[in-house]
Amino acid sequence: MKEYIINGGQPLDGALEIKGAKNSILPLMAASILTDEITVLHNCPNISDVDSMINILEGLGSKIIRSGRDVIIDNSMTDKSEIPASLAKELRSSVFLLGSLLSRHKKAKVAYPGGCDIGLRPIDIHITGLRELGIEIQEQGGYILCNCLNAKSADIVLDLPSVGATENLMLASVFIKGKTVIRNCAKEPEIVDLQKFLNTMGAKIRGAGSSVIVVEGVDKLHGIEYTPIPDRIVAGTYLIAAAMCGGNVELSGVNPEHISSLISKLSKTTCKVHIKNDRILIRSKGRQKSLECIETMYYPGFPTDLQSQIMAMQTVSRGTSVIVENIFETRFKTASQLKKLGADITIKGRVAVIRGVKELIGAEVAASDLRGGASLVLAGLVAKGTSIVKDIHYIDRGYEDLSVELQKLGANVRRT
């Protein structure tokens, strides 16, 4: 069993370079099967979610080579349109392949996707939108069976601004003749990145980053080389770690606009945050004053993927903080583990009240999801004594060897 052993109390000093965004790379890999030509993605992190997507694509017949931080994808021999449960259960983002497979093969059979247990993440919105495109869908035996022989362009209104549904519909409609309009779209930077990627391949899509996206069908896409956007959640995690632990940390290769909601929160503490182009420097003296209220929202609001980490910071801040989780109903599962370290947290429904304590005490805790696992590592960094974080395979899904990166900043953490 792999785990992190952390001896807390060390300030963080140093510099890190942020790699490509997991939540962008996975849809881009799914989109790569829309061409028979070779696609190269640069600056990809070595994380297990990328490995899982590679396994899925190879199961479909793709040939993939990892060369350093490049992922080279050859889909010329991709001939299968089914993703079995054994692969789909490892990766929530396998659902993005539904739209891509339909565009490439006009049919698809995909097992319901897996991923972290952070609450209900129904794909009803995906299915409803695909049906509006004229795609026939059956759900049976844990699989989604689709064919799009009668697919047509449509004007679609999403019930919620779902990132996954927005991206899936973009992928499903890229070859459909006519003009498809998707309304009430999610506005995340990763959607803008997918539009840029597809347009560079030869697609005709506009509007990403707004609530309305228009897709004009084309006949063919070609292979490209592409560098995905930096990972805003990884960058945010390290900024929060520096704020908690104290010290001076510089991040490079960041798009500060993508984490403006977090920077706004940090500016209300005693931290000093300096931004210059793609670099962010944060200076902290350690224990912060509590942020009175944090409410997760769809982009550009405060991201749910940073909620667990900001909660860890509030556990050792001065005063009381309230966190309202509006996106995933079980995001607060990590609170019970933080309590083992001495945190004072009260949960009622989607609201958490955190009363900051002077110090946390090292203990053995276990991750139950990706971001919650990262928050436990952050808590261990400030806890007195030794903390052990178990089940770190969740953390490996989105952070490239978190212990090594933190060691670069002077943290006393090691992986066993």
Side-chain angles (χ1 to χ4, degrees), residues 14-18 230 235 239 249-257 259 263 272-282:
L16 294 176
E17 183 175 354
I18 303 301
L239 289 177
V249 171
E250 183 179 68
L251 304 181
S252 61
V254 187
N255 187 327
E257 180 65 27
I259 49 174
I263 292 171
K272 302 297 181 184
V273 181
H274 301 278
I275 298 170
K276 185 176 182 180
N277 300 323
D278 69 341
R279 295 177 180 271
I280 300 177
L281 173 64
I282 181 169

Side-chain angles (χ1 to χ4, degrees), residues 22 26 96 103 140 162 195-196 205 410:
K22 173 184 90 80
L26 299 178
F96 296 128
S103 286
Q140 55 182 246
S162 161
Q195 173 182 278
K196 184 179 177 183
I205 306 172

Side-chain angles (χ1 to χ4, degrees), residues 362-379:
E364 184 176 297
V365 293
S368 60
D369 65 83
L370 168 56
R371 308 306 175 184
S375 76
L376 295 176
V377 173
L378 301 194

Side-chain angles (χ1 to χ4, degrees), residues 90-350:
E90 299 297 329
L91 186 66
R92 176 71 188 179
S93 298
S94 61
V95 74
F96 296 128
L97 280 154
L98 185 56
S100 296
L101 289 172
L102 287 169
S103 286
R104 175 156 182 148
H105 297 298
K106 308 304 179 188
K107 63 179 181 178
K109 181 180 180 181
V110 178
Y112 278 95
C116 286
D117 180 16
I118 53 174
L120 297 173
R121 294 195 282 183
I123 60 171
D124 301 8
I125 299 173
H126 301 240
I127 291 172
T128 299
L130 292 171
R131 281 181 171 147
E132 290 194 44
L133 290 172
I135 295 168
E136 298 178 12
I137 299 176
Q138 293 180 314
E139 300 174 67
Q140 55 182 246
Y143 280 84
I144 306 164
L145 288 77
C146 312
N147 81 72
C148 61
L149 296 177
N150 299 313
K152 62 185 187 304
S153 59
D155 194 314
I156 303 167
V157 181
L158 300 179
D159 290 338
L160 293 171
S162 161
V163 174
T166 299
E167 293 179 327
N168 226 342
L169 291 171
M170 291 168 67
L171 295 168
S173 58
V174 72
F175 292 143
I176 296 177
K177 290 184 178 180
K179 183 185 295 184
T180 294
V181 181
I182 311 166
R183 303 183 188 275
N184 195 27
C185 297
K187 302 174 183 178
E188 272 71 3
E190 293 78 12
I191 294 171
V192 178
D193 209 31
L194 178 60
Q195 173 182 278
K196 184 179 177 183
F197 178 78
L198 290 170
N199 284 348
T200 306
M201 294 174 76
K204 293 183 179 179
I205 306 172
R206 65 181 185 273
S210 74
S211 59
V212 180
I213 293 176
V214 179
V215 183
E216 296 184 45
V218 298
D219 294 328
K220 184 179 180 180
L221 298 181
H222 56 80
I224 60 169
E225 292 192 29
Y226 191 81
T227 301
I229 59 173
D231 199 311
R232 59 193 174 103
I233 305 304
V234 170
T237 301
Y238 290 129
L239 289 177
I240 294 170
M244 293 173 66
C245 297
N248 302 294
V249 171
E250 183 179 68
L251 304 181
S252 61
V254 187
N255 187 327
E257 180 65 27
H258 293 170
I259 49 174
S260 59
S261 59
L262 172 63
I263 292 171
S264 175
K265 294 294 184 186
L266 293 175
S267 69
K268 294 177 173 63
T269 68
T270 57
C271 295
K272 302 297 181 184
V273 181
H274 301 278
I275 298 170
K276 185 176 182 180
N277 300 323
D278 69 341
R279 295 177 180 271
I280 300 177
L281 173 64
I282 181 169
R283 292 189 174 94
S284 168
K285 293 182 179 180
R287 194 179 186 205
Q288 306 296 324
K289 63 179 182 180
S290 288
L291 298 166
E292 291 182 1
C293 185
I294 303 160
E295 191 165 356
T296 63
M297 299 292 291
Y298 298 107
Y299 188 86
F302 193 88
T304 183
D305 278 354
L306 286 175
Q307 183 259 96
S308 296
Q309 298 92 311
I310 205 79
M311 175 184 282
M313 187 174 90
Q314 297 313 292
T315 64
V316 289
S317 296
R318 296 183 179 90
T320 299
S321 180
V322 175
I323 298 178
V324 182
E325 174 55 58
N326 292 307
I327 310 300
F328 294 127
E329 67 277 4
T330 61
R331 265 290 192 204
F332 290 145
K333 288 176 66 175
T334 303
S336 63
Q337 299 298 303
L338 290 171
K339 286 182 179 181
K340 292 181 179 180
L341 296 162
D344 184 351
I345 305 172
T346 302
I347 306 292
K348 187 172 183 180
R350 290 178 178 258

